[in-house]
Amino acid sequence: MDLVRSRPDAIETVDHEERLWRRVYPPTDREGLVPLAFVFADTTEAKVANTVAVLEEAGRRYWAPRRYDTYERGITALDYGQAVPVVVTTLEQLQEHGADGPVWRRLGRTGEQTLTAALDNPHGDALYRDQLARADERAAQRRAAEREAHRPVCKRCGQKSTDDRWEVTTARGGAWTAGDLTVCGTCHADDVAREQAARLQAAARRIEGDREPARPSRSLFRRRG
């Protein structure tokens, strides 16, 4: 742990689950670091607004989420894993509505929310997983469509080959047993059946020929003159 503390890039490289505060505070089931709250008292709304604007600008690198490091298109979710949730309110609002009321504004957002809503990340990890799953599904559909576009069509009957037939005709060494590579599995089965029938007929003719008795030569019974 001392080594982690001594590293200047610890906030960037240390895994979320390995941080010291994770052992001190109970789990929140939210991504991100320990939240930080500012409660302003005995001041004007204008001063609060100016101070919040300074906090937002100066601390952006700490509270702002980042883009997920992905090449997938359509990913709008944001990575809050290294973000510090910063919320602000005033003592007057707390006294009037209580800490559970919609009195908290999180830096980077507009309007007041309850504390739970302010600390939640609706555009964070849950949305990322959902969008990534959808992106994977779209990619799988594209691959399936591309594969289907290249599926062989039987030159004899016009039907598309089944996956099994396609695999046999494209497998290494499969041409030795696949027969005519331009026909589908059904037509290939017809070819095999015809070939087997032809072999059986040829074998039957040979057997029938072996069974016929040999005819005697006429020269043995020719009369002498």
Side-chain angles (χ1 to χ4, degrees):
M1 188 59 66
D2 291 337
L3 178 61
V4 171
R5 290 173 178 169
S6 65
R7 288 165 50 183
D9 63 340
I11 192 172
E12 305 288 342
T13 59
V14 177
D15 186 74
H16 185 69
E17 300 298 329
E18 296 178 356
R19 300 182 186 279
L20 178 61
W21 65 267
R22 297 284 293 179
R23 304 180 184 181
V24 179
Y25 297 95
T28 63
D29 297 325
R30 300 185 184 95
E31 66 269 37
L33 305 179
V34 179
L36 178 63
F38 287 89
V39 178
F40 298 95
D42 299 327
T43 185
T44 64
E45 292 184 4
K47 289 183 178 180
V48 171
N50 291 335
T51 303
V52 171
V54 171
L55 286 174
E56 283 188 321
E57 184 62 29
R60 184 174 300 276
R61 61 168 297 192
Y62 301 104
W63 62 257
R66 306 172 183 178
R67 293 285 184 183
Y68 275 97
D69 186 14
T70 177
Y71 294 102
E72 291 290 347
R73 296 181 178 179
I75 301 295
T76 61
L78 299 174
D79 183 5
Y80 288 86
Q82 304 295 334
V84 177
V86 181
V87 293
V88 298
T89 189
T90 64
L91 183 59
E92 291 76 15
Q93 286 180 306
L94 290 176
Q95 291 173 338
E96 181 178 357
H97 302 287
D100 294 333
V103 299
W104 301 94
R105 185 173 86 82
R106 181 166 172 173
L107 296 193
R109 301 180 186 176
T110 58
E112 282 77 24
Q113 300 174 287
T114 64
L115 185 59
T116 299
L119 294 179
D120 282 342
N121 303 311
H123 303 293
D125 188 57
L127 178 62
Y128 175 70
R129 291 195 302 268
D130 180 69
Q131 291 182 335
L132 191 61
R134 292 176 183 271
D136 291 341
E137 182 179 356
R138 290 193 298 270
Q141 291 174 349
R142 287 195 301 269
R143 290 192 297 269
E146 292 173 357
R147 172 179 169 82
E148 194 64 26
H150 292 86
R151 184 180 294 275
V153 177
C154 180
K155 301 299 183 182
R156 189 177 303 166
C157 69
Q159 296 294 323
K160 290 186 176 182
S161 294
T162 62
D163 289 341
D164 292 340
R165 176 62 178 170
W166 194 2
E167 182 178 356
V168 169
T169 57
T170 56
R172 184 175 181 181
W176 293 100
T177 59
D180 187 352
L181 301 181
T182 64
V183 300
C184 65
T186 301
C187 291
H188 173 63
D190 293 341
D191 291 343
V192 172
R194 282 192 294 268
E195 292 175 0
Q196 291 178 345
R199 285 195 295 268
L200 291 175
Q201 291 176 358
R205 285 195 296 269
R206 287 196 300 271
I207 294 174
E208 189 66 24
D210 293 340
R211 290 177 179 176
E212 291 181 0
R215 296 180 180 180
S217 176
R218 294 182 179 180
S219 61
L220 295 177
F221 301 95
R222 186 176 299 173
R223 295 180 180 180
R224 295 181 181 179

